[in-house]
Amino acid sequence: SQQGEEDPQALSIQEGENATMNCSYKTSINNLQWYRQNSGRGLVHLILIRSNEREKHSGRLRVTLDTSKKSSSLLITASRAADTASYFCAPNAGGTSYGKLTFGQGTILTVHP
Amino acid sequence: GAGVSQSPSNKVTEKGKDVELRCDPISGHTALYWYRQRLGQGLEFLIYFQGNSAPDKSGLPSDRFSAERTGESVSTLTIQRTQQEDSAVYLCASSLVLAGNQETQYFGPGTRLLVL
């Protein structure tokens, strides 16, 4: 398995603003997944983007994937205080890595009301 | 349908005691994973079960850790002779496996273990 590296480490914005988080990884992937974690518990799956996809939307979330640069970004539009959480990316090489997900330190997003 | 459930949600134990953590995956999910997350850290892979294949135990940190899974249902993670460094949140996840590829992993709420 490989670890995704999220950037920035922390992001502080006002409600209504957009938040962009980036993820870089090192080797080929089958898919890349983004997760959110509140208060150190409850990892929630947000979105999965496959290696043959370049962009995917889900509600206020937009994920892009650039396999040539081995990077992905997560955009949250019109942020809300409830979006305050840690966000992690998980590159999934599939195959013999058995889908083991290794998370980095994540991006801590704080949305101020 | 129901998500992944774990029990207990919190466990406080004394150093040296054994603990058993339980995970009920989503019905129909053949893949099951255990992870550990120390305070302020990312996820550390522990063990992976897929159908009837031999489990991938490569992430277990020591022989005090073991896990079992009954068919494609419940799994238990056992930590023997607990140490203070075992204190962490233990997370279980399950997923479908389609065409040999693991799909989205759905996580349970975790068991917060504190070893005194």
Side-chain angles (χ1 to χ4, degrees):
Chain A
S1 62
Q2 62 173 311
Q3 181 171 306
E5 299 290 341
E6 297 89 355
D7 171 69
Q9 291 185 338
L11 183 59
S12 182
I13 60 175
Q14 296 295 127
E15 250 188 344
E17 295 181 339
N18 296 341
T20 299
M21 288 158 270
N22 302 297
C23 170
S24 60
Y25 57 92
K26 291 188 168 57
T27 61
S28 298
I29 60 170
N30 174 272
N31 62 63
L32 185 142
Q33 303 175 33
W34 283 91
Y35 289 81
R36 181 184 70 210
Q37 187 175 41
N38 297 89
S39 304
R41 296 280 289 269
L43 269 156
V44 175
H45 176 260
L46 296 176
I47 200 163
L48 180 154
I49 186 165
R50 301 188 188 280
S51 59
N52 61 353
E53 297 175 310
R54 291 297 166 259
E55 188 170 311
K56 203 162 183 179
H57 296 255
S58 177
R60 294 184 295 111
L61 306 180
R62 173 177 164 253
V63 167
T64 62
L65 179 65
D66 187 335
T67 53
S68 66
K69 295 181 179 177
K70 294 186 170 55
S71 66
S72 174
S73 67
L74 170 67
L75 168 68
I76 304 174
T77 59
S79 63
R80 305 167 181 166
D83 294 329
T84 295
S86 293
Y87 291 80
F88 299 89
C89 71
N92 186 350
T96 57
S97 76
Y98 299 109
K100 287 182 288 193
L101 296 180
T102 308
F103 296 75
Q105 297 300 307
T107 293
I108 300 172
L109 173 65
T110 303
V111 181
H112 300 280
Chain B
V4 178
S5 61
Q6 291 185 246
S7 61
S9 55
N10 292 281
K11 177 72 177 178
V12 180
T13 190
E14 294 178 348
K15 178 181 172 181
K17 295 284 179 70
D18 297 352
V19 295
E20 191 172 277
L21 313 179
R22 177 187 169 107
C23 172
D24 284 87
I26 293 172
S27 178
H29 281 194
T30 58
L32 185 146
Y33 316 73
W34 282 98
Y35 297 89
R36 176 170 71 178
Q37 186 177 32
R38 292 197 167 104
L39 188 64
Q41 303 296 311
L43 262 67
E44 177 186 3
F45 167 79
L46 297 178
I47 189 169
Y48 165 80
F49 295 91
Q50 163 53 18
N52 295 321
S53 302
D56 177 357
K57 304 180 182 180
S58 61
L60 294 179
S62 77
D63 60 8
R64 295 186 296 105
F65 288 72
S66 63
E68 292 183 350
R69 187 180 186 192
T70 307
E72 293 184 352
S73 60
V74 172
S75 175
T76 55
L77 176 69
T78 301
I79 309 174
Q80 296 178 308
R81 305 181 302 282
T82 52
Q83 303 294 312
Q84 289 180 331
E85 69 251 28
D86 299 335
S87 296
V89 176
Y90 289 81
L91 290 157
C92 174
S94 71
S95 75
L96 290 170
V97 177
L98 300 177
N101 292 312
Q102 290 75 24
E103 294 294 302
T104 299
Q105 293 190 25
Y106 293 90
F107 284 80
T111 293
R112 189 182 301 277
L113 175 66
L114 177 61
V115 182
L116 300 175

